[in-house]
Amino acid sequence: MSDKAKLILGDKTFELPTFTGSEGEKAVDITKLRAETGYVTLDTGYMNTGACTSAITFLDGEKGILKYRGYSIEEIAEKSSFLESSYLVFYGKLPTATELKNFEDRIASFDDVPEGIKQQIKAFPKNAHPMAVLASNMVSLSAFYEDMCAQDLTPAQKDTAIVQLMGQIKIMAAYAYRHSQGKDFVKSDKSLDYCSDFIHMMTGDKNVKKEVAKALDILLILHVDHEQNCSTSSVRLVGSSKANIFATISAGVDALWGPLHGGANQAVLEMLAEIKDSGKGYEAFLAEVKDKNSGSRLMGFGHRVYKNFDPRAKIIKVACDTVLATLGVKDPLLDIAKGLEAVALKDEYFVSRKLYPNVDFYSGIIYRALGIPTNMFTVMFAMGRLPGWMAQWKEMVEQPGFKICRPRQIYTGDTTNTYKDIKSR
Ligand code: ACO
């Protein structure tokens, strides 16, 4: 078979090169299409656009496969840790024991944030959403680390950027929460592991149960990277203008906040609570989300890429049962989630549209069991996704042929208007 694609436009035939990825994914390379034919591709919502080549994460939405650097998510979730999987996506290989220890120590060494960042957190109203605080803090770091704002970071600066941001995101997230509660900040404790320290800074209690830290660690692992989703694409887009790393990552936080993306984990919990409080049956609730005029959706269901099942959701569902049993927590919202899922998965509307539970459907119930409040859920997602954003940014700026990302459009507006004086309009 020819490795060229043929495109017939009128009486002319054009040949376009094709490209095959390491997992057999096929693409038509259209980079020269406009120059050769005068046409651009139109793909609203990027339904079928490969915006880059990437060696970080592979996912097969039909088969429900997710791999970080070639390692299956199931194996990583079982055997690895959040910091080790972060190293893996960022550096492209599993660390040796010494490399991992060094990485962990360097992250832990960022055990504080500049005084100005603390003042900024305190200046927010107590009811500010922690994602607003986090996004602002993130971009504000650029005002305090000018040397890290260079247009092109050196390899050593990139090594610092990953450990600095992983260390400081944990602090900024916990401080935002403490402020919302009207409580003093709790200083990070380097002797604790990453997840235990985060819970310690949230609660003020250093005696974090092993099971709690482990459950949080697994949740963060499952969020580490997910190829070119909305927030990662935002990071690549902003980073491609050579905006500094803090501004670039802040863009990821902003994009993640939306309820169709990372904000869904908060929305799921609110939806389950509403079903419980209203006493609405599953069928009645599903009838509502199936009605296009209702404006509501079954949150935590459906995915742009997964059309069979989301492998992360499978792992989370099992973890959810284990965590609740281990902690002796009985959560009526878990029963509602399971009931809703069972009914939806038999419903023609969801079956025909291939809508399955995604990563957010059960994650909130675990966060709740761990004592993490609902409006912090998307912040937890951001903490988990940070290494993925950093890895995708690093890969992009280091790739040969680096270019600013700049999609095209097809203009459909007025063509010729004549300016009228304001009084005669
Ligand atoms: N509830 C009800 N109907 C849905 C849902 C849902 N959760 N998701 C999709 N549909 C319907 C749409 O109405 C549409 O129906 P139609 O063909 O009759 O018009 C069809 O399924 C396809 O949906 P699209 O919105 O076109 O699919 P898209 O790929 O653009 O959206 C998305 C994917 C945004 C995830 C969507 O499924 C959704 O809104 N889900 C709920 C929010 C959510 O859980 N987001 C988290 C995603 S995972 C993540 O970002 C971490």
Side-chain angles (χ1 to χ4, degrees):
M1 201 178 87
S2 161
D3 57 358
K4 300 261 190 227
K6 285 198 173 127
L7 176 69
I8 302 169
L9 291 169
D11 57 359
K12 285 203 179 126
T13 300
F14 298 91
E15 286 202 330
L16 299 164
T18 59
F19 184 85
T20 305
S22 55
E23 288 270 8
E25 285 169 302
K26 293 182 176 40
V28 178
D29 180 346
I30 52 95
T31 40
K32 298 211 170 67
L33 181 69
R34 187 167 177 275
E36 289 175 7
T37 68
Y39 282 71
V40 299
T41 55
L42 178 61
D43 183 21
T44 315
Y46 308 124
M47 299 288 288
N48 194 38
T49 291
C52 60
T53 58
S54 177
I56 301 170
T57 292
F58 171 72
L59 72 89
D60 181 328
E62 274 72 37
K63 296 196 183 122
I65 293 171
L66 171 61
K67 296 183 195 174
Y68 296 158
R69 300 282 188 185
Y71 297 91
S72 82
I73 190 63
E74 289 80 7
E75 195 175 15
I76 293 284
E78 187 193 332
K79 300 181 182 160
S80 188
S81 67
F82 173 54
L83 296 201
E84 186 184 63
S85 50
S86 301
Y87 186 102
L88 172 68
V89 296
F90 191 74
Y91 289 107
K93 68 172 194 89
L94 283 170
T96 62
T98 315
E99 286 165 338
L100 181 59
K101 175 82 175 66
N102 182 38
F103 188 62
E104 290 169 346
D105 289 348
R106 290 191 72 206
I107 291 171
S109 75
F110 282 94
D111 61 350
D112 209 350
V113 288
E115 190 53 37
I117 295 288
K118 292 181 200 165
Q119 293 306 327
Q120 188 186 38
I121 296 172
K122 287 182 184 162
F124 279 101
K126 297 246 179 331
N127 62 354
H129 197 288
M131 284 296 275
V133 182
L134 182 64
S136 317
N137 285 170
M138 191 57 82
V139 72
S140 300
L141 285 174
S142 41
F144 298 93
Y145 297 97
E146 227 179 298
D147 56 320
M148 293 292 286
C149 295
Q151 190 174 306
D152 294 298
L153 294 185
T154 63
Q157 283 174 319
K158 286 181 202 152
D159 290 344
T160 301
I162 176 84
V163 292
Q164 172 176 351
L165 284 182
M166 285 187 70
Q168 292 185 328
I169 195 172
K170 166 171 69 109
I171 298 168
M172 296 184 302
Y175 283 7
Y177 170 71
R178 295 289 295 185
H179 173 66
S180 74
Q181 301 296 299
K183 294 181 177 158
D184 290 339
F185 300 152
V186 175
K187 175 108 180 60
S188 162
D189 182 341
K190 282 187 210 178
S191 70
L192 299 175
D193 66 81
Y194 192 85
C195 290
S196 300
D197 190 32
F198 174 70
I199 294 172
H200 152 240
M201 281 191 288
M202 294 265 295
T203 61
D205 184 359
K206 279 190 190 176
N207 297 315
V208 180
K209 279 191 183 159
K210 252 193 359 254
E211 297 82 3
V212 168
K214 180 69 194 156
L216 181 55
D217 199 74
I218 291 177
L219 280 173
L220 295 180
I221 290 176
L222 296 178
H223 287 93
V224 163
D225 195 52
H226 211 235
E227 53 118 300
Q228 307 313 316
N229 53 81
C230 180
S231 57
T232 303
S233 299
S234 305
V235 163
R236 280 188 177 254
L237 200 77
V238 173
S240 80
S241 75
K242 298 258 173 140
N244 70 64
I245 187 62
F246 307 107
T248 298
I249 296 299
S250 176
V253 176
D254 287 330
L256 190 73
W257 195 0
L260 297 191
H261 189 17
N265 56 13
Q266 175 174 342
V268 169
L269 245 276
E270 288 163 356
M271 173 188 80
L272 297 175
E274 187 206 315
I275 294 175
K276 178 171 166 281
D277 296 343
S278 66
K280 235 180 244 170
Y282 304 138
E283 306 284 355
F285 182 76
L286 291 181
E288 205 174 292
V289 297
K290 289 190 285 185
D291 173 7
K292 294 279 187 304
N293 299 320
S294 73
S296 64
R297 285 196 161 192
L298 178 53
M299 299 311 286
F301 251 70
H303 196 276
R304 171 60 62 80
V305 183
Y306 292 122
K307 299 297 173 197
N308 183 334
F309 64 91
D310 180 339
R312 303 166 302 172
K314 268 197 172 177
I315 299 171
I316 286 188
K317 191 175 176 185
V318 174
C320 198
D321 281 330
T322 315
V323 170
L324 268 62
T326 313
L327 300 179
V329 174
K330 186 95 193 70
D331 190 342
L333 297 192
L334 177 60
D335 301 332
I336 294 179
K338 283 185 175 171
L340 200 55
E341 179 191 359
V343 178
L345 291 182
K346 285 197 203 102
D347 189 306
E348 168 57 18
Y349 176 96
F350 294 93
V351 174
S352 63
R353 288 171 179 76
K354 301 190 169 143
L355 302 170
Y356 296 87
N358 59 48
V359 67
D360 290 323
F361 197 66
Y362 285 102
S363 63
I365 296 173
I366 306 188
Y367 289 135
R368 220 162 98 95
L370 302 182
I372 296 170
T374 315
N375 70 352
M376 282 293 288
F377 290 0
T378 315
V379 171
M380 306 309 300
F381 195 150
M383 276 172 60
R385 184 55 55 85
L386 175 71
W389 290 333
M390 296 290 298
Q392 298 272 350
W393 162 82
K394 178 171 178 280
E395 181 180 69
M396 176 183 72
V397 296
E398 289 177 356
Q399 231 160 19
F402 166 86
K403 279 194 179 350
I404 187 169
C405 301
R406 204 310 190 173
R408 285 187 177 265
Q409 63 158 27
I410 309 297
Y411 178 69
T412 57
D414 293 349
T415 51
T416 321
N417 278 327
T418 309
Y419 189 85
K420 280 191 197 129
D421 183 78
I422 196 160
K423 291 189 201 105
S424 58
R425 282 177 218 162

